[in-house]
Amino acid sequence: MLTVITGGSKCGKSSIAEDILSGVPGRKIYIAAMEPFGEEAHAAIERHRKMRFGKGFETIEKYTDIHELNIPEGCGVLLECACNLMANEMFSAGEKEPVQKILMGVEKLSGIASELIIVTNSVGEDGISYPPQTMEYIRNMGRLGCALSLRADRVIEAVYGIPVMLKGSL
């Protein structure tokens, strides 16, 4: 089962994802994609660690190349988040085809995991024109979001902590 959870910043996406995955039996893997650059990133990472504490998650820090991961068959997986993964692939790794590379990893993970939940953000909705690199990132996130949603069994938008089903059901 592939679930995509999207929404704005700080809208409860992670809590919804963790709640869904808590109902999945067996091992739970949390793939942390945020590279810890700066105080804000460290604070966000610490906040998420506290949220997961005691919930039985095994954390794997993997900033790029998720297709290289070897996870146990039938486990539950939470990938947090697609936006960080895209930024890392584009700007840290210099990947020329980041959407295809991420999708390759998602296909691999979804073929092994009993439940794969991918958290992403709604980017590009402000209508502001940014520098070319940022616009390319926004376009790539749009392509990735569309591709993930087409593949997903469930798509959920988090609105003030409330899961709004866009595709499938809980």
Side-chain angles (χ1 to χ4, degrees), residues 30-128:
Y30 181 96
I31 302 171
M34 178 185 274
E35 283 190 80
F37 293 123
E39 287 182 39
E40 188 175 326
H42 285 284
I45 290 167
E46 187 57 32
R47 185 178 69 252
H48 282 259
R49 283 185 180 141
K50 286 178 181 175
M51 285 174 55
R52 292 191 312 273
F53 183 76
K55 294 182 180 179
F57 285 97
E58 300 171 41
T59 301
I60 298 172
E61 293 182 14
K62 187 70 171 156
Y63 310 128
T64 60
D65 303 309
I66 61 169
H67 64 280
E68 295 176 352
L69 287 169
N70 292 310
I71 61 168
E73 184 79 32
C75 65
V77 175
L78 171 52
L79 172 60
E80 177 103 26
C81 96
C83 292
N84 290 318
L85 185 59
M86 178 66 74
N88 299 340
E89 290 289 1
M90 287 180 66
F91 304 122
S92 295
E95 177 61 42
K96 299 296 182 218
E97 298 292 335
V99 175
Q100 289 72 26
K101 185 176 180 185
I102 292 169
L103 289 173
M104 178 177 62
V106 168
E107 290 297 324
K108 179 184 176 188
L109 293 172
S110 65
I112 299 169
S114 63
E115 175 83 43
L116 173 59
I117 301 174
I118 300 173
V119 173
T120 189
N121 284 299
S122 301
V123 298
E125 293 181 347
D126 58 11
I128 297 172

